[in-house]
Amino acid sequence: MVLPHQTPYVTPHILHKHYAQAYDNEQHSKLIGRDLEYFSQAGFDMDRIQIKRNASVAQLYEDAIRNEGAIISSSGALINFSGKKTGRSPKDKRIVYEETSKDDIWWGSVNIKMDEHTFEINRERAIDYLNTRDNVYVFDGYAGWDPRYRIKVRVICARAYHALFMHNMLIRPTEEQLAEFGEPDFIIYNAGQFPANRFTKGMSSTTSVEINFKRMEMVILGTEYAGEMKKGVFSVMHYLQPVKFGQLSLHSSANVGIEKGDVTLFFGLSGTGKTTLSADPNRLLIGDDEHVWSDSGVFNIEGGCYAKCINLSAEKEPDIYNAIRFGSILENVVYNPASRMPDYDDISITENTRCAYPIEFIKGAKIPCIVDRQPSNIIMLTCDAFGVLPPVSKLTPEQASYHFLAGYTSKTPGTEDGVLEPIPTFSTCYSAPFIVLHPGRYAEMLAERMSTHKVDCWLINTGWTGGKYGTGKRCPLKYTRQIVDAVHSGELAKAEFENFGVFNLTIPTGVEGVPRELLNPELAWSDKGAFQREVRKLAGMFQKAFALYEKDVDEKVRLAGPCI
């Protein structure tokens, strides 16, 4: 009953001539019209599904909330969940064995072979699943900020969350670029909600992430973790840049000095601090994870950042914290149901909580993300769970090649499915899960560029000190930042150095603001005998891991490692 003083409630947008949903349907049909033939030939049922191409952020929010259980956080970011898989599934990654790429691929436990017929079966399975959805999302964007070396990427998926994720991670085209986009260079079919048939030849589980370089396509089944798409694009660039363009693709972050314009590359796997350390208030961020070192400079592959959120705070990470606003995605983050406030300390879903946001959300981002200047410094980041490696060492060119090939770090909890505590690992080129060619090809290109441009190289350990994992503590971030600042100011290059025993590393005797006992790990350990045992243990692990590459490197590089 409506009382005399009340106005009857009428939903105004239903009466409006531009009712949102009707407009969306019409608009997206027009946008996709020129590509209808492609989708029909690919097997999409165009009479049944509605394709939404490069939908706006607001539209993707609405669909994710309406259909996927997403919510809007108190800061305006979209909170969504990736389901059972909350990290990458490297054991389920496959590359198709075919004539155009088989001689370039580094086959083995990282790049597992798949036959072309199985790929076709899984591709058909993915398209069949997408045909059962009411909405299919398409995002067309670029990988690579340098127009000379970029590729056009098309993402086809069934979740608004996945479309928004790739909207953030790829380089977003202008309206004019989208109108002239044409045929993509690489296509991702993401049917991650639907499982792979584990009885299909070559399948090890219901999860399958596979790339076909001849077709330039990727198919995802059985995992809704958005990071698989990001790393799929990176794997393709890791193949194309050296093979097609003759440029060096790197798993690195990069920034540039505001005053001097000096460029620094940061190498390292997830959890080593690439994202954190490259976000520097005194420098402009080129990118946080994937770059190409080209003949003319450095450019970012991505259009956004994918930052870890565990223990995030405005005090520790102001740039990342402030980037979490409307348009960002918080992935697998627990929140207060009343206030919608994210709880970054809660790891009950996963330790691998993440936020994906456009790079322009970072106050100090350099847009466009490209610098026509060669790097001045390379920082190789490692997270040493043994507490053995010094917080900073100056590497010779041979040591730089050695440590780049060895790629020692510790996998930290949550970065991969099933990793619950730090696991020491050797990830060649700091990039093994995504590497495509033989590591020696990347290492040779790196050494050549370092030599040509006289680049200084530093090994920085952000891992444990005063003891191994469980007894020591992780190196405080404030000290690591002071070390990085000393690299950029040039003060560290002028420091006095001493030799660090078994690893034959050159370490500074003093860095302003950093305790003396921290710089030399032996001084930080109370149990000297335990320290020496851990040193020998880790040195032995280095020697065993590097045996894979010994026959492919110069003797000087072989001798640059630890000596027991």
Side-chain angles (χ1 to χ4, degrees):
M1 177 181 176
V2 179
L3 298 175
H5 61 276
Q6 291 181 318
T7 303
Y9 180 78
V10 178
T11 306
H13 62 256
I14 291 178
L15 303 179
H16 197 279
K17 63 178 179 179
H18 291 310
Y19 172 47
Q21 288 186 352
Y23 177 81
D24 292 349
N25 294 347
E26 180 183 344
Q27 185 71 5
H28 286 291
S29 295
K30 286 181 180 177
L31 279 173
I32 208 69
R34 59 181 293 180
D35 292 324
L36 281 175
E37 185 179 349
Y38 156 76
F39 283 95
S40 297
Q41 290 177 348
F44 287 93
D45 185 352
M46 302 305 294
D47 293 328
R48 186 195 181 285
I49 63 173
Q50 177 186 345
I51 290 181
K52 296 186 176 182
R53 183 190 188 213
N54 287 54
S56 69
V57 170
Q59 290 168 340
L60 294 173
Y61 262 54
E62 290 166 6
D63 284 5
I65 292 166
R66 185 184 295 118
N67 303 322
E68 300 172 19
I71 69 108
I72 300 176
S73 76
S74 56
S75 69
L78 187 76
I79 298 181
N80 217 330
F81 304 92
S82 66
K84 182 180 179 181
K85 299 281 187 176
T86 58
R88 289 180 291 103
S89 301
K91 294 178 181 178
D92 297 308
K93 172 188 166 188
R94 301 285 187 274
I95 293 181
V96 175
Y97 187 82
E98 45 79 23
E99 67 275 10
T100 69
S101 64
K102 63 183 177 66
D103 295 332
D104 287 308
I105 307 299
W106 185 44
W107 300 108
S109 59
V110 173
N111 298 309
I112 304 169
K113 295 178 183 178
M114 168 184 276
D115 65 86
E116 292 183 84
H117 182 65
T118 300
F119 178 84
E120 295 294 343
I121 290 173
N122 286 344
R123 180 180 184 275
E124 193 79 359
R125 189 173 177 88
I127 292 174
D128 285 346
Y129 172 76
L130 292 168
N131 275 330
T132 68
R133 303 297 90 191
D134 292 329
N135 293 317
V136 172
Y137 300 93
V138 173
F139 184 77
D140 288 338
Y142 300 105
W145 281 84
D146 191 327
R148 292 170 294 181
Y149 309 117
R150 72 171 24 159
I151 64 170
K152 296 183 289 186
V153 179
R154 170 166 290 165
V155 180
I156 306 172
C157 55
R159 290 192 67 177
Y161 145 56
H162 288 154
L164 181 56
F165 178 87
M166 291 306 281
H167 170 277
N168 287 350
M169 298 313 301
L170 289 172
I171 299 163
R172 294 155 289 285
T174 64
E175 287 188 19
E176 292 77 16
Q177 288 173 327
L178 189 59
E180 300 297 324
F181 195 77
E183 288 294 314
D185 300 308
F186 181 62
I187 301 173
I188 298 174
Y189 298 95
N190 188 344
Q193 304 97 303
F194 199 60
N197 184 337
R198 56 193 177 88
F199 294 107
T200 305
K201 180 182 177 183
M203 293 295 96
S204 55
S205 73
T206 55
T207 298
S208 180
V209 179
E210 58 218 43
I211 295 174
N212 186 328
F213 284 114
K214 184 165 74 173
R215 295 191 62 125
M216 286 300 287
E217 293 179 344
M218 178 181 187
V219 172
I220 299 173
L221 293 167
T223 173
E224 297 174 66
Y225 181 63
E228 297 288 10
M229 294 183 289
K230 165 188 162 68
K231 292 306 183 185
V233 172
F234 185 42
S235 293
V236 169
M237 293 292 270
H238 241 6
Y239 170 77
L240 288 179
Q241 290 301 320
V243 172
K244 180 179 179 180
F245 298 114
Q247 308 304 315
L248 178 58
S249 50
L250 297 167
H251 186 212
S252 74
S253 58
N255 61 24
V256 56
I258 295 173
E259 293 184 6
K260 296 190 295 182
D262 58 306
V263 176
T264 297
L265 296 174
F266 297 80
F267 296 165
L269 290 176
S270 294
T272 58
K274 285 198 324 300
T275 300
T276 299
L277 293 170
S278 55
D280 187 322
N282 299 313
R283 300 174 68 81
L284 299 177
L285 181 71
I286 304 171
D288 79 325
D289 195 46
E290 303 171 7
H291 288 83
V292 173
W293 185 351
S294 75
D295 294 336
S296 57
V298 174
F299 66 88
N300 192 352
I301 290 174
E302 301 182 298
C305 302
Y306 193 36
K308 292 175 74 70
C309 288
I310 185 171
N311 301 322
L312 181 66
S313 68
E315 294 72 33
K316 288 194 297 185
E317 303 285 355
D319 287 338
I320 296 172
Y321 189 89
N322 292 328
I324 301 175
R325 57 182 193 262
F326 181 79
S328 299
I329 296 178
L330 284 170
E331 186 178 57
N332 299 319
V333 173
V334 177
Y335 62 90
N336 183 310
S339 66
R340 302 298 200 264
M341 287 276 293
D343 184 350
Y344 298 119
D345 298 324
D346 192 322
I347 58 171
S348 57
I349 296 175
T350 177
E351 289 200 24
N352 191 33
T353 53
R354 296 272 185 166
C355 182
Y357 48 85
I359 193 163
E360 57 264 28
F361 282 17
I362 291 289
K363 183 179 178 181
K366 185 188 183 307
I367 309 294
C369 303
I370 179 172
V371 178
D372 290 326
R373 177 168 171 171
Q374 298 295 328
S376 301
N377 288 287
I378 287 175
I379 292 175
M380 294 182 176
L381 295 165
T382 183
C383 174
D384 176 26
F386 289 96
V388 164
L389 293 180
V392 61
S393 312
K394 192 175 192 301
L395 302 183
T396 66
E398 293 77 20
Q399 287 176 324
S401 292
Y402 181 94
H403 285 277
F404 183 69
L405 279 168
Y408 169 67
T409 190
S410 302
K411 291 179 183 175
T412 52
T415 53
E416 286 184 13
D417 202 34
V419 177
L420 302 177
E421 63 179 43
I423 301 174
T425 186
F426 290 84
S427 183
T428 188
C429 305
Y430 297 99
S431 189
F434 331 114
I435 210 164
V436 179
L437 313 181
H438 188 282
R441 291 182 67 171
Y442 302 103
E444 186 177 338
M445 293 179 75
L446 179 72
E448 180 184 323
R449 278 166 160 73
M450 286 181 61
S451 173
T452 300
H453 303 293
K454 297 179 173 54
V455 183
D456 284 336
C457 188
W458 308 87
L459 180 67
I460 291 183
N461 174 26
T462 61
W464 277 259
T465 182
K468 61 182 180 179
Y469 175 77
T471 57
K473 62 179 181 179
R474 194 150 187 191
C475 184
L477 177 60
K478 66 176 182 178
Y479 294 143
T480 303
R481 284 198 183 280
Q482 285 172 313
I483 289 169
V484 172
D485 287 344
V487 168
H488 289 145
S489 70
E491 289 304 310
L492 195 55
K494 302 174 188 174
E496 292 186 8
F497 292 90
E498 61 183 340
N499 184 265
F500 181 66
V502 169
F503 281 82
N504 195 28
L505 294 170
T506 301
I507 62 175
T509 56
V511 176
E512 186 176 352
V514 181
R516 171 75 176 94
E517 63 273 12
L518 196 75
L519 294 171
N520 189 328
E522 187 171 11
L523 301 178
W525 283 60
S526 56
D527 188 337
K528 306 302 181 187
F531 174 75
Q532 292 299 334
R533 287 193 295 273
E534 295 301 320
V535 168
R536 289 192 294 272
K537 182 193 297 183
L538 183 58
M541 293 175 68
F542 263 88
Q543 291 179 339
K544 183 178 178 181
F546 201 79
L548 289 169
Y549 318 111
E550 280 185 342
K551 68 180 185 298
D552 300 311
V553 301
D554 291 337
E555 184 180 9
K556 288 182 179 179
V557 175
R558 287 199 299 272
L559 296 176
C563 181
I564 302 176

